[in-house]
Amino acid sequence: PAHLTKVLLENNDNSATKHSTKKTHAPSQLKPLIIGCCLILALAGPAWQQLPQPVYQLDRGSVLIMDMSYSMYATDIKPNRLTRSRYKAVDLLEKINEGDMGLIAYAGDAFIISPLTQDIRNIELLLPSLSPDIMPELGSNALAALMLANETLKNSGRLYGDIYWFTDDIDNEDMADIYDWSAEFGHNLHILGVGTQTGAPIKLKTGELLKDNSGAIVMPKLPSARLAALAQRGGGNYSTITNDDSDINYLTKSLTNQLADGLNESLNESSTLTSQKKSDQKQQIQGDQYQEEGPW
């Protein structure tokens, strides 16, 4: 039949039609190849433009110590001391944003939550999970946390560093031990007092108020004078928690001054270089970081 002959038998007309069909489909077969090549090139991350690097970078280690005793559930500042101290910790990390930072939490004992790292965002992700309920031992052993902070700094090769201690209480019995710690190791001890001097009951997650052995409701008060004395002896700053950024700005005041001094020193040194040395320094500052053009 005629309608089968065109399909089964080859002739000049069918060959021409077949050839023309190949030509028609050839460009469509090249499209995946072209797209694949472009995708591979983009994923390879082509780069040819160098990025300038900071002239001065503060190479200093810092440790954030968070008090996780049950008194942090006190509600004299809303919603409670624990929540506000977490917010202030995030503000501190954003304010420093330079050098290495570690995180330590303590109650009856102290634990390293994060070793010294430049990944500030990682520490921010760990802060919301901190609470007195996850601590294996009840209490408020601040000296253990300070000793652990010193060990963390020493293990990273830093003899001196800044320690930011967020707490709401310190016993008189521990004052002398912390004085001795400051005299022995020489770290800058900055303290943020979380709470008020009038105090408030400690509201547990069950909704009950914490009571002592005699059945009286516990009303922890902030010993700001004692904490300020510890910060002064430790060569640091003390501030009671505020509703604005003035407390964090005051705690990091010495750090800001140090960064400014480092920038001035770097600029003074660069002004004495010859033009050739300046060119070499520029190449050294630019380093090997490049602007990736893969997204384009």
Side-chain angles (χ1 to χ4, degrees):
H3 68 281
L4 294 179
T5 302
K6 294 180 180 180
V7 180
L8 297 176
L9 301 180
E10 290 187 3
N11 52 36
N12 292 334
D13 294 339
N14 289 340
S15 299
T17 303
K18 186 178 180 181
H19 183 66
S20 63
T21 302
K22 287 185 178 179
K23 285 188 174 180
T24 303
H25 290 287
S28 63
Q29 294 175 355
L30 288 177
K31 288 181 180 179
L33 180 61
I34 295 175
I35 295 175
C37 292
C38 293
L39 185 60
I40 292 174
L41 181 63
L43 292 176
W48 54 85
Q49 182 178 1
Q50 284 184 329
L51 294 174
Q53 301 301 310
V55 176
Y56 179 80
Q57 185 175 8
L58 187 62
D59 183 19
R60 190 173 184 85
S62 304
V63 178
L64 172 60
I65 298 178
M66 300 289 291
D67 187 350
M68 289 294 121
S69 57
Y70 265 95
S71 58
M72 295 296 287
Y73 278 137
T75 57
D76 48 352
I77 53 177
K78 303 301 180 183
N80 56 35
R81 296 178 180 181
L82 175 63
T83 304
R84 291 288 296 278
S85 65
R86 288 174 183 162
Y87 290 150
K88 288 298 180 179
V90 174
D91 293 340
L92 176 69
L93 295 176
E94 294 178 352
K95 180 68 175 180
I96 297 177
N97 196 25
E98 193 83 26
D100 294 337
M101 173 68 75
L103 176 62
I104 291 176
Y106 77 94
D109 201 359
F111 304 92
I112 296 178
I113 308 301
S114 173
L116 288 183
T117 177
Q118 293 186 351
D119 189 1
I120 302 298
R121 297 301 177 188
N122 183 51
I123 296 181
E124 290 183 4
L125 293 175
L126 294 172
L127 286 172
S129 63
L130 295 180
S131 71
D133 298 307
I134 68 171
M135 304 305 291
E137 186 176 349
L138 301 180
S140 182
N141 192 348
L143 182 61
L146 293 172
M147 295 296 293
L148 192 57
N150 171 72
E151 182 180 343
T152 302
L153 291 169
K154 293 294 179 65
N155 291 339
S156 67
R158 291 174 170 84
L159 296 179
Y160 305 102
D162 291 288
I163 295 178
Y164 298 91
W165 177 19
F166 289 9
T167 184
D168 66 344
D169 194 13
I170 183 68
D171 293 333
N172 282 325
E173 294 78 8
D174 297 332
M175 295 284 290
D177 293 333
I178 297 179
Y179 282 154
D180 295 339
W181 175 89
S182 298
E184 181 178 358
F185 300 111
H187 302 298
N188 295 327
L189 181 60
H190 310 282
I191 302 177
L192 178 67
V194 184
T196 62
Q197 294 184 3
T198 56
I202 300 173
K203 188 176 181 180
L204 304 177
K205 283 193 172 182
T206 59
E208 299 178 354
L209 299 180
L210 184 64
K211 300 179 180 180
D212 57 19
N213 295 331
S214 61
I217 297 176
V218 178
M219 294 276 293
K221 300 179 180 180
L222 178 68
S224 55
R226 279 179 283 176
L227 294 175
L230 289 175
Q232 183 179 6
R233 182 68 65 93
N237 302 317
Y238 169 80
S239 176
T240 301
I241 191 170
T242 62
N243 293 326
D244 54 16
D245 295 335
S246 59
D247 48 1
I248 299 300
N249 292 335
Y250 187 75
L251 292 182
T252 58
K253 180 176 61 174
S254 59
L255 189 66
T256 304
N257 295 336
Q258 182 183 0
L259 180 58
D261 294 341
L263 285 170
N264 294 332
E265 182 180 354
S266 178
L267 292 174
N268 292 334
E269 290 179 356
S270 63
S271 64
T272 61
L273 297 174
T274 63
S275 59
Q276 180 62 33
K277 288 184 178 179
K278 287 182 179 180
S279 177
D280 295 341
Q281 186 188 45
K282 183 178 179 180
Q283 293 293 330
Q284 183 179 4
I285 290 172
Q286 286 183 339
D288 58 354
Q289 292 194 13
Y290 289 82
Q291 175 67 43
E292 183 181 346
E293 307 296 341
W296 289 108

